[in-house]
Amino acid sequence: MSLPQPGTDAGRTALDALLATPGRALAAFDFDGTLAPIVADPRTSAPYPGIVDALADLAGVVGAVAVITGRPAETAVRLGGLDRVPGITVLGHYGAERWTGDRGVVAAPTPPGVEVVREELPVLLDRLGAPEGTWVEDKGRSLAVHTRRTADPDGALELLTPSLEDLARRAELRVEPGRMVVELRPQGVDKGAALTALVAETGPHAVLYAGDDLGDLPAFEAVVALRAQGVVGLNVCSSSDEVTAVAEAADLVVDGPAGLADLLRRLADATRDASGV
């Protein structure tokens, strides 16, 4: 099976380098919307059928595989069955947590502002008259306000976001917009910083990063910055109708988690063919 070709010169260069010397490559992925389809209740999230097996297959031929997610690291591992992927590193809470199979979770301290938000958010949503279907996901180190279940998700976000931004400022947190969700989370961590640190640690010559939402754009930007340092990179968008900015920033666009699963299978096969394994 042939591989889909990136639409940029930089992306094609990175793909060629990954195929030529896969043992020196890092492949990193977002979880929700990328490895797993978006669902109304994130607690019921599950990987796209076969995608974890494809990820495990890829882990056997590339130098390193990682998942970088806004979820708690252990939650992503549990929901995704990611412990089946040999040698995988899972960076949770945008890099504030790190899970590996040999050490479990290592985490940074939680800022006090998270507790401030936890206490004040229910009162704030009640005062604002949050539409029916609005609900809060407590991630431990952050809190996310979801509007996907409301009658008008975009209208609910427009109503709630200014006050959520005010609350985040008072708590010295930051606001992370997403697909029908606003997350209030600690400052100083994002997927770009997490990916950059992982590259510095593992020393790859080629990086692939795949994501689907606005929170993945810092990782895309990190890949572009790494190119200036001699690390070739390929940005892959797991596309949706809900967010277009990620596709516009990507070198290669695939059709959601199903398209990514197909790409992973083709990539593992092509890498083995190229190396004669």
Side-chain angles (χ1 to χ4, degrees), residues 9 12 22 27 36 44 48 85 91 93 98 103 117 119 173 176 181 183 191 199 225 234 238 243 262 264 270 272:
D9 289 340
R12 288 188 288 272
T44 66
Y48 183 82
V85 180
L91 301 179
H93 281 294
R98 179 187 181 116
R103 297 187 65 188
V117 170
E119 292 178 359
L173 302 180
E176 185 72 58
V181 61
E183 184 172 356
K191 292 182 180 181
V199 167
L234 172 63
S238 172
V243 177
D262 181 65
L264 294 183
R272 277 192 293 267

Side-chain angles (χ1 to χ4, degrees), residues 120-131 134-136 145 160 164:
E120 294 190 18
L121 190 54
V123 176
L124 175 63
L125 294 177
D126 184 64
R127 178 171 60 80
L128 293 172
T134 303
W135 71 285
V136 176
V145 180
L160 300 175
L164 294 176

Side-chain angles (χ1 to χ4, degrees), residues 153-168:
D154 292 336
L157 281 180
E158 185 177 354
L159 168 68
L160 300 175
T161 297
S163 295
L164 294 176
E165 291 174 340
D166 288 342
L167 175 57

Side-chain angles (χ1 to χ4, degrees), residues 127-142:
R127 178 171 60 80
L128 293 172
E132 182 179 356
T134 303
W135 71 285
V136 176
E137 179 186 9
D138 191 331
K139 299 183 178 182
R141 293 174 178 272
S142 65

Side-chain angles (χ1 to χ4, degrees), residues 69 71-78 90-93 97-99 105:
T69 175
R71 286 184 181 269
E74 282 189 324
T75 299
V77 172
R78 174 177 54 81
V90 179
L91 301 179
H93 281 294
E97 294 183 348
R98 179 187 181 116
W99 180 95
V105 174

Side-chain angles (χ1 to χ4, degrees), residues 39-44 131-137 145-154 156-157 179-181:
V39 292
D41 186 344
R43 294 168 295 187
T44 66
E132 182 179 356
T134 303
W135 71 285
V136 176
E137 179 186 9
V145 180
H146 294 264
T147 64
R148 184 175 292 273
R149 300 177 187 170
T150 65
D152 179 8
D154 292 336
L157 281 180
R179 294 166 64 176
M180 304 182 197
V181 61

